[in-house]
Amino acid sequence: MLIAQITDIHLGFEPETPGEFNRQRLDRTIATICALDPQPKMLLATGDLIDRGDKGSYERLKEAFADVPFPVYMALGNHDERANFSEVFPEYNFIDGFLQYEIDTGPLRILVLDTLEEGRHGGAYCEVRTAWLKARLDEQPDRKTLIVQHHPPIEVGIPWMNTDPAEPWVHRLAGCLRDRKNVIGLVCGHIHRAVATHWEDLVVATCPSTAPQVALDLRPIDADVPDQRQLIIADPPGYALHWWNGRELITHWDTAEDHAVLARYDANLQGMIQHMLAERPIPSEGVGTPTPTAAPNEVRQAAE
Ligand SMILES: [Fe+2]
Ligand SMILES: [Fe+2]
């Protein structure tokens, strides 16, 4: 099963310009994902859907998603606003006041969490949300489960984007997920970069944004001294493609730009491909490695 992910769209950054830079980047990313073969089963949009929480931007977001041929599931980030989101997307049910829900894909259970605390940049996870998550996890303790949320509960090393590991919400979330062998990991947004790490025995992967990216600068930052460092860069819009193969979640990151192709599968490189594929075990002897002819089919079946 393939799961596409986009994040940090920040639509409405230029409120008076419907065709703004961030909309162009979103449209390009959606077009790239919709052209994928095989097709993803769904598209996750993991928060900071819009920039200023306004209803008009959510309406434009709805319009941008209108032609996506597979389901789109959204999570909220620190730039979102629950009341306006709810007005434009009334099909979403809020539980205990939070946008938290389950996606039952068949092979994999997905729990979408709400880490928004309006007025705060960083994440939040209160006792009420923790109780909901605990109840959902206790319902199906053996089912492979993926957690989806905007804020990664990790210190990424870019000082102004860090989450302090001592933050109470991180402890609450960790306490709920700790020792749950069926939880395979978390996919998140917020960092505007691709980051992967290990946290509480779980893989955490963040997705690059469709909006401009955050610059990679790990130097300490001083709130009193603006030092002209790069903060936001107009690198290409990105997305993630997660492949659940029934055993592991494999995360790929790519951009929505045209790639400069240096080699194609033609007669010149056929020998290399043949050798590479011939090295692998045949299906009856194999240990689950996709075989040359089975790989595309396997992906196709997994995507259905
Ligand atoms: Fe963001
Ligand atoms: Fe964010």
Side-chain angles (χ1 to χ4, degrees):
M1 178 178 65
L2 292 172
I3 302 167
Q5 181 192 3
I6 59 174
T7 196
D8 294 85
I9 300 161
H10 289 267
L11 217 57
F13 181 80
E14 300 170 81
E16 308 307 322
T17 313
E20 62 179 312
F21 191 46
N22 286 355
R23 175 63 188 269
Q24 294 168 26
R25 293 169 65 97
L26 171 64
D27 288 349
R28 217 180 312 151
T29 312
I30 289 175
T32 300
I33 291 171
C34 289
L36 290 171
D37 179 17
Q39 286 264 284
K41 184 164 184 172
M42 68 184 75
L43 174 62
L44 304 173
T46 51
D48 286 359
L49 303 166
I50 66 169
D51 195 64
R52 299 167 195 215
D54 60 293
K55 200 173 153 193
S57 295
Y58 282 125
E59 281 163 352
R60 285 196 282 277
L61 182 71
K62 189 173 208 167
E63 172 194 294
F65 284 149
D67 295 328
V68 176
F70 30 81
V72 178
Y73 296 102
M74 289 181 263
L76 298 180
N78 48 298
H79 283 259
D80 290 298
E81 210 270 342
R82 291 189 181 92
N84 284 335
F85 174 90
S86 184
E87 271 194 58
V88 178
F89 298 102
E91 64 273 27
Y92 282 82
N93 289 323
F94 281 68
I95 298 175
D96 302 325
F98 300 105
L99 188 65
Q100 46 192 359
Y101 58 97
E102 173 179 357
I103 308 168
D104 193 342
T105 71
L108 185 64
R109 186 185 195 209
I110 297 175
L111 295 176
V112 179
L113 310 188
D114 180 338
T115 56
L116 163 63
E117 183 175 315
E118 288 179 13
R120 182 178 147 79
H121 293 288
Y125 210 63
C126 59
E127 295 293 354
V128 172
R129 283 170 274 192
T130 307
W132 179 86
L133 177 58
K134 183 176 183 312
R136 298 291 77 71
L137 291 170
D138 287 346
E139 282 169 358
Q140 299 185 48
D142 300 319
R143 183 94 183 278
K144 293 294 184 190
T145 300
L146 176 68
I147 304 293
V148 173
Q149 63 188 51
H150 180 66
H151 295 88
I154 54 168
E155 191 175 30
V156 293
I158 300 170
W160 64 286
M161 295 301 292
N162 272 343
T163 291
D164 189 326
E167 289 187 37
W169 77 271
V170 175
H171 279 286
R172 250 178 243 118
L173 186 65
C176 198
L177 296 176
R178 189 169 295 137
D179 299 327
R180 304 252 184 194
K181 300 295 181 204
N182 60 312
V183 178
I184 61 167
L186 293 83
V187 297
C188 307
H190 186 62
I191 306 300
H192 290 230
R193 292 192 68 83
V195 175
T197 189
H198 207 231
W199 172 81
E200 294 289 341
D201 281 338
L202 296 166
V203 169
V204 179
T206 72
C207 180
S209 45
T210 65
Q213 312 295 342
V214 162
L216 180 59
D217 191 332
L218 307 185
R219 292 175 296 164
I221 196 163
D222 185 337
D224 296 322
V225 183
D227 58 8
Q228 302 303 315
R229 74 179 59 201
Q230 298 174 9
L231 290 183
I232 309 291
I233 52 177
D235 279 13
Y239 66 96
L241 188 64
H242 308 284
W243 176 33
W244 172 246
N245 67 4
R247 304 179 301 275
E248 303 99 15
L249 190 77
I250 294 94
T251 294
H252 295 270
W253 293 281
D254 206 349
T255 67
E257 295 291 284
D258 290 335
H259 298 302
V261 179
L262 298 180
R264 292 185 184 276
Y265 181 30
D266 56 17
N268 287 333
L269 288 176
Q270 186 180 10
M272 179 189 78
I273 299 294
Q274 286 174 334
H275 279 122
M276 292 175 77
L277 299 187
E279 291 171 353
R280 303 188 195 165
I282 58 173
S284 57
E285 298 170 349
V287 289
T289 307
T291 61
T293 51
N297 290 337
E298 183 181 322
V299 175
R300 278 206 174 78
Q301 284 163 7
E304 285 164 4

Coordinates of all heavy atoms in Angstrom, one line a residue, residues 29 50 102 115 127 162 169 210-211 298-299:
T29 N 2.8 20.0 -6.8 CA 3.0 18.8 -6.0 C 1.9 17.8 -6.2 O 2.1 16.6 -6.4 CB 3.2 19.1 -4.5 OG1 4.2 20.2 -4.4 CG2 3.7 17.9 -3.8
I50 N -3.0 25.9 5.9 CA -3.0 27.3 5.5 C -2.2 28.1 6.4 O -1.7 27.6 7.4 CB -4.5 27.8 5.4 CG1 -5.1 27.9 6.8 CG2 -5.3 26.9 4.5 CD1 -6.4 28.6 6.9
E102 N -9.4 7.8 13.0 CA -8.8 6.6 12.5 C -9.1 6.5 11.0 O -10.1 6.8 10.5 CB -9.4 5.4 13.3 CG -9.0 4.1 12.7 CD -9.6 2.9 13.5 OE1 -10.3 3.1 14.5 OE2 -9.3 1.8 13.0
T115 N -2.1 17.9 17.2 CA -1.1 18.5 18.2 C -1.2 20.0 18.2 O -0.2 20.6 18.6 CB 0.3 18.0 17.8 OG1 0.5 18.4 16.4 CG2 0.5 16.5 17.9
E127 N -4.1 15.8 28.3 CA -4.7 14.5 28.9 C -5.9 14.0 28.1 O -6.1 12.8 28.0 CB -5.0 14.7 30.3 CG -3.8 15.1 31.2 CD -2.8 13.9 31.4 OE1 -3.1 12.8 30.9 OE2 -1.8 14.1 32.0
N162 N 13.4 23.2 17.1 CA 13.5 22.1 18.0 C 12.2 22.0 18.9 O 11.6 23.0 19.2 CB 14.7 22.3 18.9 CG 16.0 21.8 18.4 OD1 16.0 21.0 17.5 ND2 17.1 22.2 19.0
W169 N 4.1 17.8 26.8 CA 3.3 17.0 25.8 C 4.1 15.9 25.2 O 3.5 14.8 24.8 CB 2.8 18.0 24.7 CG 3.8 18.4 23.7 CD1 4.6 19.5 23.7 CD2 4.0 17.8 22.4 NE1 5.4 19.6 22.6 CE2 5.0 18.6 21.7 CE3 3.5 16.7 21.7 CZ2 5.5 18.2 20.5 CZ3 4.0 16.4 20.5 CH2 5.0 17.1 19.8
T210 N 5.4 21.6 1.0 CA 5.1 22.1 -0.4 C 5.4 23.6 -0.4 O 5.9 24.1 -1.4 CB 3.6 21.9 -0.8 OG1 2.8 22.7 0.0 CG2 3.2 20.4 -0.7
A211 N 5.2 24.3 0.7 CA 5.7 25.7 0.9 C 7.2 25.7 1.0 O 7.8 24.6 1.1 CB 5.1 26.3 2.1
E298 N 3.9 -6.4 -7.3 CA 3.7 -6.4 -5.8 C 3.3 -5.0 -5.3 O 2.4 -4.8 -4.5 CB 5.0 -6.8 -5.1 CG 4.8 -6.9 -3.6 CD 6.1 -7.3 -2.9 OE1 6.8 -8.2 -3.5 OE2 6.4 -6.8 -1.9
V299 N 4.0 -4.0 -5.9 CA 3.7 -2.6 -5.5 C 2.3 -2.3 -6.0 O 1.5 -1.7 -5.2 CB 4.7 -1.7 -6.2 CG1 4.4 -0.2 -5.9 CG2 6.1 -1.9 -5.6

